[in-house]
């Protein structure tokens, strides 16, 4: 809390400082203050992905799903490769029973996850979110295979950490 306040105090023109402050405030469920910080960050830099994404998460936490969806679409427009924003957005559309948007969004999520995995095949998160997208798109067996691969990668990473004396928390 103090670090994010200090960052805004040191340079109030820095959008990342306001976005970071917004995240801290949202985690403390001080949503109206968080909203002001996210809005300031986006006013200072309308292309700041993190402000859109974490603002959307704060809205989601409050049940403001329409606003969260708009913010996630904006996040995805800024960073189309963001499988995180697209997965969350697809879930919102599923909950809203907006089937066509749900399908299109999970397809975008899968495409983004696959592109990421071309360069980072050992990255677990895009594999898990891609698995969700595959299952949402009706490719259950392929989604389960992606999940199995993610779990195997997680086990291998855990074994390596134990061998080197690190815990997963310490990594």
């Amino acid at each position: 809390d103090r670090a994010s306040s200090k960052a805004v105090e040191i340079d109030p023109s820095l959008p990342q400082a306001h976005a970071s402050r917004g995240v801290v405030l949202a985690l403390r469920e001080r949503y109206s203050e968080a909203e002001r910080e996210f809005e300031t960050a986006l006013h200072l830099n309308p292309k700041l992905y993190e402000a859109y994404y974490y603002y959307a998460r704060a809205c989601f936490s409050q049940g403001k799903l329409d606003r969260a969806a708009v913010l996630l679409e904006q996040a995805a427009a800024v960073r189309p490769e963001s499988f995180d924003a697209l997965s969350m957005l697809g879930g919102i559309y599923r909950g809203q029973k907006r089937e066509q948007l749900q399908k299109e969004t999970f397809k975008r999520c899968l495409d983004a996850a696959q592109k990421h995995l071309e360069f980072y095949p050992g990255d677990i998160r895009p594999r898990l979110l891609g698995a969700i997208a595959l299952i949402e798109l009706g490719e259950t067996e392929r989604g389960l295979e992606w999940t199995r691969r993610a779990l195997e990668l997680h086990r291998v990473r855990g074994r390596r950490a134990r061998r080197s004396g690190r815990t997963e928390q310490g990594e």
Side-chain angles (χ1 to χ4, degrees):
D1 196 8
R2 282 185 275 158
S4 67
S5 292
K6 187 69 172 174
V8 170
E9 181 184 317
I10 290 170
D11 190 351
S13 68
L14 188 64
Q16 293 87 343
H18 289 281
S20 295
R21 181 81 182 128
V23 170
V24 169
L25 292 166
L27 289 171
R28 296 188 184 281
E29 297 182 4
R30 292 167 51 188
Y31 294 117
S32 61
E33 295 170 78
E35 182 176 328
R36 285 193 296 277
E37 293 295 341
F38 289 127
E39 291 290 343
T40 300
L42 292 169
H43 173 75
L44 293 168
N45 181 357
K47 301 252 184 225
L48 185 60
Y49 168 83
E50 292 78 8
Y52 288 116
Y53 180 73
Y54 288 106
Y55 190 1
R57 291 179 64 101
C59 290
F60 183 87
S61 294
Q62 299 171 79
K64 298 178 179 178
L65 301 183
D66 289 336
R67 180 70 177 135
V70 168
L71 291 163
L72 289 166
E73 282 288 4
Q74 291 171 309
V78 169
R79 192 180 290 170
E81 71 277 9
S82 175
F83 47 84
D84 289 299
L86 292 166
S87 181
M88 187 175 188
L89 181 60
I92 289 173
Y93 288 149
R94 179 188 346 97
Q96 294 176 329
K97 309 247 187 281
R98 298 170 76 180
E99 293 175 17
Q100 187 59 39
L101 283 172
Q102 172 189 343
K103 183 177 179 179
E104 291 168 7
T105 304
F106 278 118
K107 176 71 172 107
R108 290 165 54 201
C109 174
L110 178 60
D111 290 345
Q114 286 175 313
K115 285 178 186 161
H116 183 89
L117 289 168
E118 287 175 18
F119 295 99
Y120 306 100
D123 198 345
I124 295 170
R125 187 160 177 82
R127 192 164 301 279
L128 288 173
L129 296 180
I132 291 168
L134 284 163
I135 291 167
E136 289 287 344
L137 294 167
E139 295 186 47
T140 304
E141 193 51 47
R142 191 167 163 222
L144 291 173
E145 180 53 40
W146 277 47
T147 302
R148 284 189 283 274
R149 178 68 179 130
L151 289 171
E152 177 57 29
L153 289 167
H154 179 71
R155 281 192 289 275
V156 167
R157 198 170 284 161
R159 284 193 299 267
R160 282 188 200 141
R162 284 189 297 278
R163 278 197 306 267
S164 67
R166 292 179 289 173
T167 65
E168 289 192 32
Q169 293 173 343
E171 288 187 301

